[in-house]
Amino acid sequence: MSLTNEQIQLKLQEKFGEQVSNFSEPFGMLTFEAPKEQNLKVLQFLYDDEELKFRFLTDLQAVHYPNDKGRELAVVYHLHNLVDNVRIRFKVFTNINTPDVFTATQLFATANWMERETYDFFGVNFVGHPNLKRILNVDEMDYFPMRKEFPLEDQTRIDKDDEMFGRGGSIN
Amino acid sequence: MSDVQNILLPEGSIEKKTITLNVGPTHPATHGVFQNIMEMDGERVMSAESTVGYIHRAFEKLAERRPLYQITPITDRLNYCSSPINNIGWHLTCEKLLGIQTPKRVDYLRVILMELARIADHLICNSIVGVDTGAFSGFVYLMEYRELIYEIYEEICGSRLTTNIGRIGGFERNFTPVAWQKLKKFIAEYPKALKEFENLFTRNRIFMDRTIGCGPISAERALNYGFTGPNLRAAGVDYDVRVHSPYSSYEDFDFIVPVGTTGDTYDRYLVRNVEMWQSLSIIEQAVQKIENIKGADAEVYHANVPEYYLPAKQDVYSSMEALIWHFKIIMGEIEMPKGELYHSVEGANGELGYYFISDGGRTPYRLHFRRPCFIYYQAYEELIKGSMLSDAIVVMSSLNLIAGELDA
């Protein structure tokens, strides 16, 4: 455990300056974000740097924040440095109307299906992906089901609205 | 892709063309719902396109409307050959978010169950590799012992396949004397059967010829493809979540992490066999450690967290407070802190991760399962390119693909 979160943060700030931001450490995992145009540069730097060596893509997925205008979709990368055993979380936010994010498939072969899954459920358009089509849902589907505007419950039921789940409403 | 394969054949002959073969989705040789559209040149696979999603059940969407305890049965159905690992992994994730410390005895009980689940998973995988190479008897020998493992689960939680085992903070009840008795019977009898299984396969000429060099992958490619678990270790990388980021007191145990060299089917088989021996040793150590716990902690089986752990049933019927807590927990009206975390456990076929975002509501805002199968199945096409169709089937079973985990 020679590599600490502070060192990673310093190296990133040294290289990218103001562009990497919002550093935090929830449950000990360094989390930060960058503009979506920069995602490949950041991933490449994390991969190539002789001290950082984040060469294992553990996971890639998206999160939908419908109330955060202009930054509705977050694409989250979990990276792992297997040598020093350090994990980091890297996020890029994108507008939901033009959800274009560069693909990481050139760097990680494993990103192929992960990005297809993310596209399938959130509609993130990975620019440059070799085969960006639906993977788990049927090909004919014309919406992205994990977005928050598609509720799970039958909307005619009043006993299952959001306040029963601790969000909004009077019971809380 | 066609017409240029076999130049010795005369022009226009039918053997000269490749044919498209549709393997699956319900092919008897694939042990699950997998479809592969293969382009075949005679017996050789030129290319394969995998289609997944036939049993997609929208677990991540479902989880957004369920309180924590209702998500446990969902995790059962990921890798259903080793459900306790999924359940306990999920409970560990919740405990990390809620800041719950579990007693050592609970950790050791969990370790016993997780290692039993690993044995159950590996023995199915390895014996199925045997079946697919044409040797059915090994499967019959080992299947009996999976039954013993399921009986232990049944004694602990009441169910066998989709276990829904444990609670946040520990277990719903202590291991019964019958459970211990069955566990000891398993520890005593399984080595003999496993030894016999190894005698049948490991140095078997036919088995070796069928599996050595079959579907190999280099360490670099395996890492790039996001391989984890036995499949990555077979390629020579000693990455094991139990060692790298220990959970549930795995740091107290002494075990080796077996690695292979070529990442082919034979290495995967060997790695899984060694892991079964190691799991047995871990279980023995855990039993020993539990027997060494004396005093007040000797019978503890859950952490003292009344906000999240259901009160005892007899109290629910007799005391108002317990009844209130029972309903609060069942209805999901418990306080959940805000937070964002990733927690992973060493599942039977790789790193099983939970990415959990809580916004303070009663259900996760977002829950993502990192399913090892889904991630390494995309390498299948590369693994089987140029091999025989019958080898492709063996490679698929040696990867230990579980359809439930693949599709989530």
Side-chain angles (χ1 to χ4, degrees), chain B residues 56-68:
Chain B
H56 171 58
R57 291 144 297 172
F59 283 165
E60 291 175 10
K61 191 76 180 173
L62 283 175
E64 289 180 7
R65 273 293 200 184
R66 286 171 173 236
L68 301 183

Side-chain angles (χ1 to χ4, degrees), chain A residues 27 58-59 61-62 64 85 87 91 107 109-110 113 117 133 135 145 148 150 164-165 167, chain B residues 49 52 61 64-65 96 224 239 244 340 342 351 355 359 362-363 365-366 368 370-371 375 378:
Chain A
F27 297 91
T58 304
D59 207 356
Q61 70 280 316
H64 185 203
N85 192 24
R87 292 175 194 268
K91 295 181 181 180
L107 207 51
T110 179
W113 281 20
E117 192 190 15
K133 57 179 191 181
I135 184 162
K148 294 284 180 190
F150 299 107
M164 301 304 285
F165 294 90
R167 295 191 184 93
Chain B
E49 196 191 338
V52 301
K61 191 76 180 173
E64 289 180 7
R65 273 293 200 184
K96 196 169 169 186
N224 205 250
Y239 174 60
H244 275 69
E340 175 177 10
Y342 176 82
E351 175 176 343
Y355 176 49
D359 66 341
R362 291 166 195 161
T363 59
Y365 184 77
R366 169 96 169 95
H368 177 80
R370 183 207 191 267
R371 293 128 31 220
I375 289 168
Q378 52 190 313

Side-chain angles (χ1 to χ4, degrees), chain A:
Chain A
M1 288 290 279
S2 52
L3 193 66
T4 63
N5 286 350
E6 290 74 36
Q7 284 173 319
I8 302 168
Q9 182 172 349
L10 278 177
K11 286 208 79 128
L12 280 164
Q13 281 169 334
E14 199 180 298
K15 172 84 181 170
F16 294 100
E18 294 293 297
Q19 293 196 306
V20 287
S21 56
N22 278 354
F23 284 91
S24 62
E25 287 184 26
F27 297 91
M29 193 188 284
L30 183 72
T31 304
F32 65 97
E33 61 174 87
K36 67 172 180 176
E37 297 78 20
Q38 296 286 333
N39 73 333
L40 277 191
K41 285 185 183 147
V42 174
L43 288 173
Q44 187 78 51
F45 173 69
L46 289 167
Y47 190 98
D48 287 339
D49 192 273
E50 276 310 308
E51 281 177 41
L52 299 178
K53 294 185 291 235
F54 284 97
R55 288 172 192 164
F56 189 80
L57 180 65
T58 304
D59 207 356
L60 188 165
Q61 70 280 316
V63 190
H64 185 203
Y65 297 101
N67 298 326
D68 205 356
K69 292 285 170 252
R71 295 156 48 90
E72 285 97 343
L73 288 173
V75 177
V76 186
Y77 303 85
H78 282 87
L79 297 160
H80 197 164
N81 172 341
L82 290 170
V83 180
D84 296 303
N85 192 24
V86 185
R87 292 175 194 268
I88 54 168
R89 183 184 295 130
F90 165 50
K91 295 181 181 180
V92 294
F93 285 85
T94 172
N95 187 325
I96 203 161
N97 298 318
T98 50
D100 299 334
V101 175
F102 292 118
T103 176
T105 42
Q106 295 299 318
L107 207 51
F108 303 104
T110 179
N112 190 327
W113 281 20
M114 294 181 187
E115 286 179 353
R116 276 178 70 185
E117 192 190 15
T118 309
Y119 163 75
D120 193 356
F121 288 100
F122 291 90
V124 178
N125 180 29
F126 288 97
V127 178
H129 190 285
N131 184 23
L132 193 65
K133 57 179 191 181
R134 290 190 180 270
I135 184 162
L136 293 180
N137 290 313
V138 288
D139 291 339
E140 295 78 35
M141 199 179 232
D142 56 359
Y143 54 94
F144 302 110
M146 282 292 283
R147 289 186 179 176
K148 294 284 180 190
E149 66 257 35
F150 299 107
L152 194 62
E153 306 287 348
D154 177 359
Q155 286 306 284
T156 57
R157 285 182 67 165
I158 51 163
D159 58 331
K160 288 229 174 177
D161 63 353
D162 260 355
E163 67 185 38
M164 301 304 285
F165 294 90
R167 295 191 184 93
S170 52
I171 313 168
N172 214 337

Side-chain angles (χ1 to χ4, degrees), chain B residues 84-195:
Chain B
I85 299 182
N86 309 342
N87 300 153
I88 294 171
W90 167 241
H91 289 146
L92 287 167
T93 311
C94 297
E95 284 161 15
K96 196 169 169 186
L97 176 74
L98 302 168
I100 296 170
Q101 286 290 329
T102 47
K104 279 280 179 195
R105 187 167 185 271
V106 172
D107 288 353
Y108 297 152
L109 292 176
R110 283 178 165 172
V111 165
I112 291 178
L113 272 173
M114 286 193 278
E115 294 306 319
L116 279 176
R118 196 178 319 281
I119 292 175
D121 198 286
H122 285 358
L123 77 81
I124 287 295
C125 178
N126 269 356
S127 52
I128 291 288
V129 171
V131 171
D132 286 344
T133 53
F136 198 82
S137 38
F139 177 73
V140 183
Y141 283 178
L142 287 190
M143 207 55 180
E144 190 186 338
Y145 290 88
R146 191 181 79 154
E147 191 63 22
L148 290 187
I149 296 178
Y150 279 9
E151 281 179 16
I152 298 169
Y153 294 169
E154 200 173 7
E155 197 56 46
I156 291 163
C157 73
S159 53
R160 297 158 57 85
L161 188 71
T162 49
T163 49
N164 193 9
I165 215 163
R167 296 267 165 81
I168 294 171
F171 288 94
E172 56 269 46
R173 64 182 77 84
N174 204 350
F175 283 23
T176 59
V178 181
W180 287 113
Q181 200 186 329
K182 287 189 168 170
L183 181 66
K184 294 211 165 121
K185 177 169 178 244
F186 176 78
I187 298 174
E189 289 181 7
Y190 187 59
K192 207 166 137 254
L194 188 56
K195 195 87 205 75

Side-chain angles (χ1 to χ4, degrees), chain B residues 62 76 119 135 137 144 151 182 185 190 207 215 234 250 255 287 300-301 315 326 344 354 372 401 404:
Chain B
L62 283 175
D76 281 338
I119 292 175
S137 38
E144 190 186 338
E151 281 179 16
K182 287 189 168 170
K185 177 169 178 244
Y190 187 59
F207 183 74
Y250 264 111
F255 60 98
V287 172
V300 67
Y301 57 94
D315 295 343
H326 180 88
S344 58
Y354 301 84
L401 291 164

